[in-house]
Amino acid sequence: MAEDDLCVARVPIFHGLSRQEQLRVAGAARSVSFQKGEVVSDPGDPASSLLVMHSGQLKVSRTSADGQEQILRTVTAGDVVGERAFLTGRPPLDTVVALDDSQMCVFHPARFSALLRDYPDISQRMLRTLSDRLASVERLLSAITSDDVGVRVAAYLLDLVTATTSRTGRATVLLPMAKHEVAAYLGTTPETLSRRLAALSASGVIALQGRRGVSVLDLGALEDAARR
């Protein structure tokens, strides 16, 4: 991996480090690649490594008691996977699968713990990231329990808009999964999902681009739609 394309440079928990410090952090990791459809980790795996995404996309899911897959989130470049297992030392509970060909940096627990001792600010940023993710999950859970599918769709799109682009009022996002998977995640059908997206588009809140592209044209209206 080229020095000018460090995966750690894309991750918020490492943003406070200098370039030389980021190089040191990257040197403590090993680069691993997975092909589309390949399982990255399974529940019960003994490893508690921390994964930092460089490129590609992962799906994190959990199997319910009745054998149904529950999609928890998708992971893209700059995201981190495995914090819970890393912080607790317990085996992972989730299944992580590559949705696209993906490359990531893998940190062994002992080596990353040594980095935390040298750079304690990383721990604070990691906790802040987990807190932001929890707030995101709470918002989505609140929407998903709504009987109004439109609220669920709006909340889901709102969650895809990153903090750096959301304040502009306009942002373009890409649905991280096929529409039938997004529909399953939101507890609806692909047909209903398509109708709700079309309604948001007709009202000027979003614009649909191709099969998976969505441009948010009116962030305030999308926020209102997610709170109804």
Side-chain angles (χ1 to χ4, degrees):
M1 190 178 302
E3 285 192 358
D4 60 352
D5 195 23
L6 296 175
C7 63
V8 298
R10 306 184 182 194
V11 185
I13 63 174
F14 300 124
H15 281 176
L17 302 181
S18 69
R19 182 64 177 178
Q20 288 303 313
E21 289 170 336
Q22 287 180 348
L23 287 171
R24 184 191 167 194
V25 170
R30 59 188 176 89
S31 180
V32 178
S33 299
F34 290 90
Q35 295 183 339
K36 180 179 180 179
E38 193 172 356
V39 175
V40 177
S41 67
D42 263 333
D45 281 355
S48 56
S49 298
L50 192 71
L51 309 179
V52 176
M53 288 294 294
H54 180 261
S55 63
Q57 188 169 225
L58 306 178
K59 176 178 68 176
V60 182
S61 64
R62 191 171 296 179
T63 303
S64 63
D66 60 2
Q68 297 295 314
E69 180 189 44
Q70 299 175 328
I71 299 173
L72 303 179
R73 64 187 179 107
T74 54
V75 181
T76 56
D79 288 334
V80 179
V81 186
E83 305 99 315
R84 177 192 173 277
F86 174 80
L87 292 172
T88 65
R90 299 174 182 173
L93 299 175
D94 308 325
T95 298
V96 182
V97 177
L99 291 176
D100 299 309
D101 291 348
S102 303
Q103 187 177 18
M104 62 205 71
C105 296
V106 180
F107 291 90
H108 186 275
R111 301 192 73 180
F112 195 76
S113 295
L115 290 172
L116 292 182
R117 289 193 296 270
D118 292 341
Y119 307 115
D121 284 353
I122 295 177
S123 299
Q124 297 178 11
R125 291 190 181 90
M126 184 180 291
L127 290 174
R128 191 177 304 123
T129 298
L130 290 173
S131 176
D132 291 343
R133 187 177 301 161
L134 178 60
S136 172
V137 169
E138 289 175 343
R139 181 172 64 247
L140 280 175
L141 283 176
S142 176
I144 287 174
T145 56
S146 170
D147 292 331
D148 189 337
V149 177
V151 170
R152 300 180 221 165
V153 173
Y156 180 72
L157 293 177
L158 194 60
D159 197 59
L160 292 179
V161 178
T162 66
T164 55
T165 59
S166 63
R167 296 305 95 201
T168 67
R170 287 176 176 249
T172 298
V173 296
L174 189 68
L175 295 180
M177 301 176 285
K179 285 185 178 178
H180 73 274
E181 290 183 299
V182 174
Y185 176 65
L186 296 177
T188 187
T189 65
E191 294 77 17
T192 301
L193 172 64
S194 294
R195 286 196 294 269
R196 295 298 183 271
L197 289 172
L200 288 170
S201 178
S203 62
V205 178
I206 65 171
L208 302 177
Q209 300 183 348
R211 297 179 63 182
R212 294 167 67 173
V214 179
S215 288
V216 178
L217 304 179
D218 189 335
L219 180 64
L222 186 63
E223 291 174 337
D224 290 341
R227 289 194 294 263
R228 289 174 186 170

